[in-house]
Amino acid sequence: MTTDTTAKTDRKTSVRRPHAWIWAALAGIVSAAALLAVAEALAALVARSASPILAVGSFIVDIVPRPLKELAITLFGESDKIALLAGVGLGAAVAAAVAGVLEYRFRFVGVVLLGIGGILATAAIVTRTGAGALSWLPPVAGTIAGVLVLMLAMVRLRRWVAAATAQNVEATGTDRRHFLLFTGLTAVGAVVVGVGARVLNAATSSVAAARDALRLPAARSTVTVPADANWEIDGLSPIITPNADFYRVDTALSVPNVDPTTWRLSIEGMVDNPIELSFDDLVNMGLDEYGVTLTCVSNEVGGDLVGNAIWTGLPIRDVLRMAGVQADADMVLSESVDGFTASTPLSSLTDDNLDAIFAVAMNGEPLPFEHGFPVRMVVPGLYGYVSATKWVTKLTVTRFDKDEAYWTPRGYAAQAPIKMSSRVDTPKIGTPIAAGPVVVAGMAWAQPIGVEKVEVSIDNGEWQQTQLSTPINAQSWVQWKFDWTAEAGTHYIAVRATDAQGNVQIQDQAPIAPDGSSGWQRTLVTVS
Ligand SMILES: Nc1nc2c(c(=O)[nH]1)N[C@H]1C(S)=C(S)[C@@H](COP(=O)(O)O)O[C@H]1N2
Ligand SMILES: [Mo]
């Protein structure tokens, strides 16, 4: 009975003090959310590319050292971009929480921190290639909004704490409500406005309509895919990679939106007459089809960063000829709208026997946005990072000793021909197979020479010839298959290719950096 009374009295006179630090951290996060939401909303209205999260993410993409980038790709694979954006978001949330706590403890310190964050985001936005004249506006307005939210939230939090400290029951309740209502409504508003603006920004791109409406002149010549170029074998890659399955590798966090009606290609540098071409100028030079296998330098032996397509386009040498290339040039630096650059040997672009092209269509449809709409380069025999510039807008004719491309200072070779390779597609490692007849099959490529033969070796036994599908051309990969009688147990299947000049695929294992992986794939299969 006595204890009960005491408890009742206690409840009446003691007001619980809020966990001020937690609420301050939350206020910090809500302020950052307000900052981003206002910036996204203004970006959607006045400067589409001025998104703070994307700009900071892109800035990080450009500065992270190679080992970290490789680790990210190993860990997250093709989701590396989403992982990066999530990381940027998490980092921003933690920093904002710290700013909130500091603001509560030391007035204005959090505000200054938030302001610095806003200035950094503004810097990341205005320094990006293609930033418009108004691109500073969204992050600056966002920062002002964020600072206001933080200060207003702090006023309410301090009132709540003061009322609780004074043990004023009524005031504590009111002030708590005011704080929670303010931060809660701001948080909900920020999420609705921010997400809405980003979705709107992405969905209202008029470029999608422009791509749908695009009518390309018919190709003057087409690539004939031989009847037995493609075997349909379970697990074996098709000889033509559908666009939807084609690997994608680039540094772009948001896919560039390039309107073909305003797109221009300029040819400058060591040329007699610098020229500028519109999309119509380019396609009216005449289009033809070319079958070319594209390969990424980041492809490990046995990996899938490789694909084959029929590209519609025109030779780059025809455009270079119009500009008149000067004699002592030896490199072409191609640049995309988002600032990515590739250094391609001039000779690879001017060779009459090698069709380096500006491509405008991929497997019969205008280039997908992810693959470079409206125009990209495709150069047979060179890794993508030194040749296959997507969203290309500028070629600078120059010299290797004068200019360097995006990946060169980041640990990759300035020149990088594709290394011949072969891989096993089926059976897949880890998939148990039944004893008896088994079709072992895969892909091999040796651009631009062509694959002559592919051999397999079972359990380190002698090399045995496989059958090749009829090649589309020397620039395209081929399928190979081998009829194997599998006995129960675990087995190693090794594969190697030989090109039409008699060169055997390099056996020495090399990592992807600096100029592409090498080695013979050896896959382990379990037969039961
Ligand atoms: N603008 C731009 N073009 C680019 C890149 C890039 O990061 N930006 N990456 C290159 C690399 S490394 C490769 S392997 C190919 C991949 O082309 P895909 O994504 O169409 O397969 O594009 C090349 N072109
Ligand atoms: Mo690549």
Side-chain angles (χ1 to χ4, degrees):
M1 201 55 191
T2 325
T3 24
D4 212 8
T5 322
T6 322
K8 236 178 226 162
T9 332
D10 266 351
R11 218 176 295 146
K12 243 184 202 160
T13 54
S14 118
V15 177
R16 235 203 282 147
R17 294 196 50 192
H19 298 287
W21 291 43
I22 295 177
W23 293 115
L26 188 86
I29 293 173
V30 170
S31 328
L35 184 161
L36 293 175
V38 169
E40 287 294 346
L42 277 171
L45 294 175
V46 300
R48 285 179 173 277
S49 61
S51 153
I53 288 264
L54 287 178
V56 170
S58 303
F59 176 74
I60 292 173
V61 167
D62 291 352
I63 61 160
V64 293
R66 196 184 72 204
L68 209 66
K69 193 166 294 186
E70 281 164 11
L71 180 72
I73 291 172
T74 319
L75 288 178
F76 304 111
E78 296 232 353
S79 313
D80 58 339
K81 289 181 173 131
I82 293 165
L84 171 74
L85 289 177
V88 172
L90 198 70
V94 170
V98 169
V101 171
L102 286 174
E103 179 65 21
Y104 177 70
R105 188 78 184 73
F106 315 99
R107 219 175 277 231
F108 295 119
V109 170
V111 164
V112 168
L113 276 185
L114 200 65
I116 292 175
I119 290 169
L120 291 180
T122 309
I125 287 170
V126 298
T127 55
R128 284 213 79 70
T129 309
L134 280 179
S135 63
W136 57 272
L137 185 60
V140 168
T143 306
I144 293 170
V147 163
L148 277 177
V149 167
L150 185 60
M151 291 171 62
L152 292 172
M154 282 305 150
V155 169
R156 286 161 175 74
L157 180 57
R158 288 209 178 88
R159 270 198 209 128
W160 175 13
V161 174
T165 310
Q167 296 292 306
N168 183 336
V169 183
E170 215 165 297
T172 304
T174 315
D175 291 336
R176 188 208 303 120
R177 247 188 332 276
H178 283 168
F179 172 81
L180 292 180
L181 209 63
F182 178 77
T183 46
L185 285 181
T186 309
V188 171
V191 170
V192 170
V193 170
V195 172
R198 181 103 287 276
V199 169
L200 190 80
N201 194 345
T204 56
S205 128
S206 53
V207 178
R211 180 174 176 274
D212 289 341
L214 198 65
R215 293 287 165 269
L216 293 169
R220 297 173 301 192
S221 70
T222 55
V223 171
T224 315
V225 179
D228 45 2
N230 188 58
W231 294 319
E232 286 190 18
I233 296 173
D234 254 3
L236 177 64
S237 304
I239 203 73
I240 306 283
T241 314
N243 291 354
D245 301 339
F246 209 97
Y247 81 96
R248 174 188 168 198
V249 170
D250 54 57
T251 59
L253 277 180
S254 64
V255 178
N257 269 310
V258 185
D259 184 340
T261 60
T262 54
W263 175 90
R264 293 290 181 276
L265 174 68
S266 61
I267 316 290
E268 30 193 278
M270 300 168 71
V271 292
D272 293 335
N273 351 286
I275 51 173
E276 193 178 81
L277 300 175
S278 69
F279 187 78
D280 284 342
D281 292 338
L282 195 77
V283 297
N284 288 334
M285 288 174 70
L287 300 176
D288 292 283
E289 284 188 358
Y290 303 85
V292 183
T293 294
L294 210 63
T295 313
C296 183
V297 70
S298 301
N299 192 45
E300 305 277 2
V301 172
D304 56 8
L305 296 178
V306 48
N308 187 47
I310 307 292
W311 310 92
T312 309
L314 65 148
I316 295 173
R317 61 174 173 271
D318 291 354
V319 176
L320 288 175
R321 201 166 287 145
M322 287 168 63
V325 171
Q326 290 167 5
D328 45 348
D330 66 4
M331 187 259 269
V332 171
L333 192 74
S334 51
E335 189 173 333
S336 71
V337 285
D338 67 349
F340 169 87
T341 52
S343 55
T344 312
L346 181 63
S347 57
S348 301
L349 303 179
T350 51
D351 188 341
D352 279 322
N353 300 311
L354 188 83
D355 293 319
I357 57 164
F358 287 118
V360 295
M362 181 177 183
N363 293 328
E365 57 168 293
L367 287 178
F369 295 110
E370 296 79 13
H371 297 289
F373 183 82
V375 183
R376 76 172 305 166
M377 291 169 53
V378 176
V379 182
L382 300 184
Y383 285 119
Y385 83 102
V386 288
S387 68
T389 305
K390 304 190 270 190
W391 315 291
V392 65
T393 57
K394 184 162 95 178
L395 301 193
T396 307
V397 179
T398 178
R399 299 181 49 85
F400 277 105
D401 59 17
K402 263 175 56 184
D403 274 313
E404 61 179 8
Y406 183 88
W407 284 107
T408 314
R410 293 171 171 83
Y412 286 85
Q415 304 198 40
I418 297 171
K419 294 178 184 172
M420 166 173 29
S421 202
S422 54
R423 72 165 194 226
V424 179
D425 281 3
T426 179
K428 284 255 177 303
I429 184 166
T431 310
I433 49 177
V438 170
V439 180
V440 181
M443 313 302 291
W445 54 93
Q447 311 97 308
I449 296 167
V451 175
E452 177 72 28
K453 66 175 177 186
V454 173
E455 298 161 295
V456 296
S457 156
I458 310 282
D459 298 327
N460 299 324
E462 64 182 279
W463 288 98
Q464 306 179 66
Q465 287 266 7
T466 69
Q467 232 184 306
L468 300 190
S469 69
T470 307
I472 296 176
N473 56 35
Q475 279 71 254
S476 296
W477 63 5
V478 287
Q479 296 175 327
W480 59 266
K481 68 173 174 184
F482 177 75
D483 293 315
W484 178 40
T485 311
E487 284 166 21
T490 55
H491 301 282
Y492 279 104
I493 305 173
V495 59
R496 69 174 188 194
T498 300
D499 71 19
Q501 292 172 354
N503 304 302
V504 180
Q505 181 178 338
I506 302 168
Q507 181 176 13
D508 283 344
Q509 293 190 6
I512 59 176
D515 62 358
S517 63
S518 68
W520 295 343
Q521 188 191 359
R522 209 160 158 263
T523 180
L524 179 70
V525 294
T526 311
V527 181
S528 50

